[in-house]
Amino acid sequence: KNEVEQSPQNLTAQEGEFITINCSYSVGISALHWLQQHPGGGIVSLFMLSSGKKKHGRLIATINIQEKHSSLHITASHPRDSAVYICAVRGNYQLIWGAGTKLIIKP
Amino acid sequence: NAGVTQTPKFQVLKTGQSMTLQCAQDMNHNSMYWYRQDPGMGLRLIYYSASEGTTDKGEVPNGYNVSRLNKREFSLRLESAAPSQTSVYFCASSDGRVDIQYFGAGTRLSVL
């Protein structure tokens, strides 16, 4: 079993829909990262959080340390949100990466 | 503001050839990282450098060597390329080991 599991692996939705991507982990962590990988391959950090909730524009990230679970939400989704969203957790020394969720938003 | 710059963007090698992937950052970050990304798998850490003058093995270091040339530059060398090293390679940097990492655009490497 992978230490970081993301679900779903693939998600296709219509423009305007509310999107939720989940990340569960099995190790103790000091922080959790959400990143976005564009279709061209570039990777951008979205959030780093260790508790509670963070919001940036239409993106919201939450984490529940007790349940070892985080969610990334996108409100009013748009085709430009189409990308792979990656969850990574920081254990003792290094980041442990999820395999990513491929999101496609159709106009 | 360039951020993290990787060269080359694409490379095709024959089995047994050697090459060096270059990475430079202009954010005065202490830590730098090399990852590989394969289809269906998460990013896997090859080597990292917590600070200038230090390097450490990551999850998949075999077949690679690194050099932290100075604070700005961290290179990855394949001495004798193998088809299993066909992958997309990303360099990243961060101000500290617990901070957000900033990524380069990636190098797509094919080993025939």
Side-chain angles (χ1 to χ4, degrees):
Chain A
K1 191 178 190 302
N2 293 334
E3 292 171 302
V4 179
E5 296 272 359
Q6 287 187 236
S7 63
Q9 285 186 313
N10 296 282
L11 178 58
T12 300
Q14 291 297 130
E15 184 174 356
E17 286 189 36
F18 181 81
I19 303 299
T20 296
I21 299 170
N22 297 300
C23 176
S24 296
Y25 53 91
S26 58
V27 295
I29 69 166
S30 57
L32 182 143
H33 298 249
W34 280 103
L35 304 99
Q36 179 192 54
Q37 186 168 23
H38 297 289
I43 299 174
V44 176
S45 281
L46 299 174
F47 296 102
M48 182 178 72
L49 65 166
S50 54
S51 65
K53 177 179 171 178
K54 286 190 175 180
K55 184 174 188 293
H56 182 70
R58 295 180 294 105
L59 300 177
I60 303 166
T62 64
I63 188 169
N64 185 317
I65 297 293
Q66 287 74 30
E67 293 186 4
K68 296 188 174 179
H69 181 268
S70 175
S71 293
L72 176 68
H73 304 286
I74 305 174
T75 62
S77 59
H78 189 277
R80 65 175 175 266
D81 297 326
S82 298
V84 175
Y85 292 85
I86 305 170
C87 168
V89 301
R90 178 166 296 285
N92 286 333
Y93 300 105
Q94 298 170 14
L95 284 175
I96 306 168
W97 298 79
T101 294
K102 184 174 182 179
L103 174 66
I104 297 172
I105 304 295
K106 293 186 173 180
Chain B
N1 191 359
V4 179
T5 304
Q6 284 183 239
T7 56
K9 287 188 166 46
F10 301 94
Q11 184 72 49
V12 178
L13 294 176
K14 294 181 180 177
T15 297
Q17 286 186 315
S18 63
M19 78 160 294
T20 300
L21 280 64
Q22 307 286 355
C23 176
Q25 51 91 9
D26 61 4
M27 295 173 282
N28 201 36
H29 285 167
N30 289 313
S31 300
M32 297 185 73
Y33 312 83
W34 275 106
Y35 294 95
R36 62 177 288 172
Q37 186 179 40
D38 300 296
M41 302 184 70
L43 287 157
R44 291 186 292 169
L45 184 65
I46 305 171
Y47 271 93
Y48 67 100
S49 170
S51 61
E52 185 179 357
T54 69
T55 61
D56 288 285
K57 294 179 180 179
E59 183 184 353
V60 288
N62 291 344
Y64 306 95
N65 286 301
V66 290
S67 295
R68 184 74 182 266
L69 304 168
N70 47 56
K71 193 170 186 180
R72 288 188 66 248
E73 298 172 289
F74 188 39
S75 62
L76 178 72
R77 182 158 179 86
L78 287 70
E79 288 293 349
S80 179
S84 61
Q85 293 178 305
T86 293
S87 188
V88 180
Y89 291 85
F90 287 96
C91 175
S93 71
S94 68
D95 202 23
R97 295 179 70 191
V98 296
D99 289 338
I100 288 175
Q101 295 185 12
Y102 296 82
F103 286 81
T107 296
R108 191 172 295 274
L109 175 67
S110 293
V111 182
L112 305 178

